[in-house]
Amino acid sequence: MSLEHSSHPSAELAAFAANLRHEDIPAAVLRRAEDLLLDCLGSILAGASARPVQAIERYARAMGPADGPSEVLITRRRTTPLFAAMVNAAAAHVVEQDDVHNGSVFHPAAVVFPPALAVAQALGSSGAELLTAAVAGYEIGIRVGEFLGRSHYKIFHTTGTAGTLAAAVAVGRLLRLTPEQMLHALGSAGTQAAGLWEFLRDAADSKQLHTAKAAADGITAAYLAKEGFTGARHILEGPQGMAAGMSTDADPSRLVDRLGTRWALAETSFKYHASCRHTHPAADALQLSLRENGLSESDIERVVAHVHQGAIDVLGPVVNPATVHQSKFSMGTVLALIARQGRAGLAEFDAGLDDPGVADFRARVEMQLDPEVDAAYPRRWIGKVTVYTRDGRVFHARVDEPKGDPGNTLGRDEIEDKTLRLGQYAGAATEAELRGLIGAIWSLDGAPRVGDLLPR
């Protein structure tokens, strides 16, 4: 049965992704794709020394070929696309500096760029082809996340679930799948999609496995489709598909919302603080209150963060963080670093885990469900805090667009600075290498072939 005779949301997405051309994409969207790619590469390099990433790299080294066409960025070695993408995707998500799309509560870069880059290097694709594939992955992944809705995110890590389909689409576009093949790739990706939030309670390493497997399983789905392997044709909206098993508020209209005219990639936010995005609105609001009212940590008796339910669901289980990564999901820790250090960056988190002062401040922070904030979420992530001082004063602060959101975004100079900072954090690259990387990404659209991004 051809797609022309079987139109439904999954098929429309598949046809859009398979048929997307470079010339169909506005120049501003392509430039933003470059911005997001560079931002992702910085996060990958910053994650190089993380213990879970090193474990996945050792696994890939044991299971995968010792050489190949695709670059493992954190070690400079080469292997097959599947194993390179697995390691790079794990590294992209560990320092909590990768991008986020608000409406889908989804981190696209970590699951789109690693597989797309690895496959582009293997195929000898052009820079324009890589960017086109990445745009396709963003557009479909974001819409799948929006479709699955808030009920899905309460239990499932959308970056692991929707991310598997996003990865399959990006790779499928590079493989030049037909619309029919792309539909089968979606089916095979969807049946593998997984990722549960329970790991947060135990400070477990699962978040890195979610992105690693989403990237690898997306590659598997796309390459199998190229070989004629079939997948469920209604994997998203079917009676036993993803929505049926993973959501109670799925909205099929979100899947094809202005497909081809609304560029969801351009709605994606950069992460300013090195923590879970749910902490960012309150962190920005606290920064504002400290600045406007001339307050310091010693002035503060307690802080109330007024949040949406999603923040409570994800951050609530983290009471006494046991690892640096888990502390990035602690609202109290993040606000303590803001109050004590003025920022919540990688170095601040490293130093703050065992700091008694951070623990003391953390105990004086609480989250409260705010009806206005909750009603706006996930389309808008409003930040509101109430600060109570030791001398009895009360201050309220509000931020309508956290730093990094499309209306308060990072410019290219800020993205470059962030990349330089992240890339040198774990010693994964030198400043000179990073400046070369920056130049390569800014000229990627005209590159005839995607080669190595870092010297061997």
Side-chain angles (χ1 to χ4, degrees):
M1 184 184 296
S2 69
L3 289 189
E4 289 76 12
H5 296 96
S6 180
S7 181
H8 52 82
S10 294
E12 288 186 52
L13 287 179
F16 170 81
N19 294 327
L20 183 65
R21 301 173 302 167
H22 182 266
E23 54 265 38
D24 297 331
I25 305 169
V29 176
L30 291 168
R31 301 293 78 76
R32 182 42 53 104
E34 293 166 348
D35 295 347
L36 293 164
L37 171 55
L38 183 61
D39 187 69
C40 179
L41 294 172
S43 284
I44 291 171
L45 295 172
S49 63
R51 181 188 51 75
V53 174
Q54 289 290 317
I56 289 175
E57 156 62 5
R58 290 193 298 272
Y59 167 81
R61 194 181 291 266
M63 296 293 174
D67 197 12
S70 302
E71 194 174 10
V72 180
L73 290 163
I74 66 169
T75 60
R76 315 289 179 92
R77 73 181 185 91
R78 302 299 184 278
T79 186
T80 60
L82 188 142
F83 286 101
M86 176 179 285
V87 177
N88 291 337
H93 205 41
V94 72
V95 298
E96 297 295 330
Q97 289 271 256
D98 51 320
D99 67 5
V100 63
H101 182 269
N102 287 348
S104 56
V105 202
F106 168 49
H107 302 276
V111 290
V112 169
F113 286 121
L117 174 63
V119 171
Q121 289 175 326
L123 297 177
S125 305
S126 69
E129 289 172 322
L130 171 57
L131 291 173
T132 302
V135 172
Y138 266 73
E139 295 304 313
I140 273 61
I142 287 169
R143 285 174 170 82
V144 170
E146 292 177 331
F147 156 71
L148 291 170
R150 291 181 62 167
S151 66
H152 177 78
Y153 186 79
K154 187 177 179 69
I155 304 296
F156 292 94
H157 183 201
T158 306
T159 304
T161 55
T164 308
L165 285 85
V169 163
V171 174
R173 183 64 191 80
L174 287 167
L175 292 174
R176 301 181 182 178
L177 299 186
T178 66
E180 183 77 10
Q181 290 172 324
M182 190 70 83
L183 182 60
H184 291 308
L186 287 176
S188 291
T191 205
Q192 298 177 87
L196 296 164
W197 281 119
E198 183 62 23
F199 74 89
L200 279 174
R201 299 178 189 274
D202 307 309
D205 299 329
S206 307
K207 203 164 192 267
Q208 280 58 70
L209 184 61
H210 293 175
T211 51
K213 284 290 286 176
D217 291 347
I219 288 175
T220 299
Y223 271 80
L224 285 175
K226 185 74 171 177
E227 296 299 326
F229 193 91
T230 62
R233 300 177 61 87
H234 296 263
I235 195 63
L236 294 166
E237 73 280 21
Q240 292 177 297
M242 289 181 71
M246 296 179 166
S247 176
T248 59
D249 64 344
D251 180 0
S253 70
R254 302 298 295 167
L255 290 170
V256 293
D257 175 35
R258 293 165 286 160
L259 197 58
T261 58
R262 168 211 173 195
W263 296 96
L265 178 146
E267 303 165 0
T268 305
S269 301
F270 297 94
K271 290 178 75 174
Y272 187 68
H273 309 292
S275 58
C276 174
R277 182 64 172 181
H278 291 297
T279 67
H280 289 211
D284 283 7
L286 180 59
Q287 281 184 322
L288 178 64
S289 183
L290 295 170
R291 184 169 63 248
E292 287 189 339
N293 301 301
L295 300 174
S296 66
E297 177 210 0
S298 61
D299 297 316
I300 298 172
E301 177 67 30
R302 67 187 183 99
V303 178
V304 175
H306 304 276
V307 299
H308 50 262
Q309 184 62 48
I312 294 172
D313 293 339
V314 172
L315 307 177
V318 183
V319 179
N320 294 303
T323 65
V324 170
H325 188 257
Q326 193 185 32
S327 73
K328 297 181 177 194
F329 291 80
S330 162
M331 180 68 84
T333 299
V334 173
L335 298 192
L337 295 177
I338 294 294
R340 291 169 61 80
Q341 306 294 335
R343 56 178 285 123
L346 298 177
E348 287 75 24
F349 275 102
D350 287 346
L353 180 63
D354 298 318
D355 185 337
V358 170
D360 176 72
F361 195 98
R362 180 169 62 232
R364 293 184 274 127
V365 173
E366 64 176 295
M367 291 187 291
Q368 288 184 5
L369 181 65
D370 184 284
E372 180 197 14
V373 174
D374 192 54
Y377 172 83
R379 185 176 57 85
R380 295 173 59 215
W381 295 42
I382 299 170
K384 292 167 67 174
V385 297
T386 301
V387 178
Y388 298 86
T389 66
R390 297 185 187 278
D391 60 7
R393 293 174 293 166
V394 180
F395 297 102
H396 303 279
R398 175 192 181 104
V399 171
D400 284 297
E401 286 194 280
K403 180 69 172 175
D405 268 10
N408 188 17
T409 193
L410 303 185
R412 283 205 159 177
D413 56 339
E414 292 176 296
I415 296 168
E416 290 182 9
D417 288 344
K418 180 181 175 184
T419 301
L420 291 168
R421 185 173 68 252
L422 293 180
Q424 295 176 83
Y425 166 74
T430 66
E431 181 178 347
E433 289 172 337
L434 291 166
R435 292 197 182 277
L437 176 65
I438 290 168
I441 300 307
W442 291 162
S443 59
L444 181 64
D445 207 3
R449 182 185 179 95
V450 178
D452 291 345
L453 296 182
L454 294 170
R456 291 184 185 233

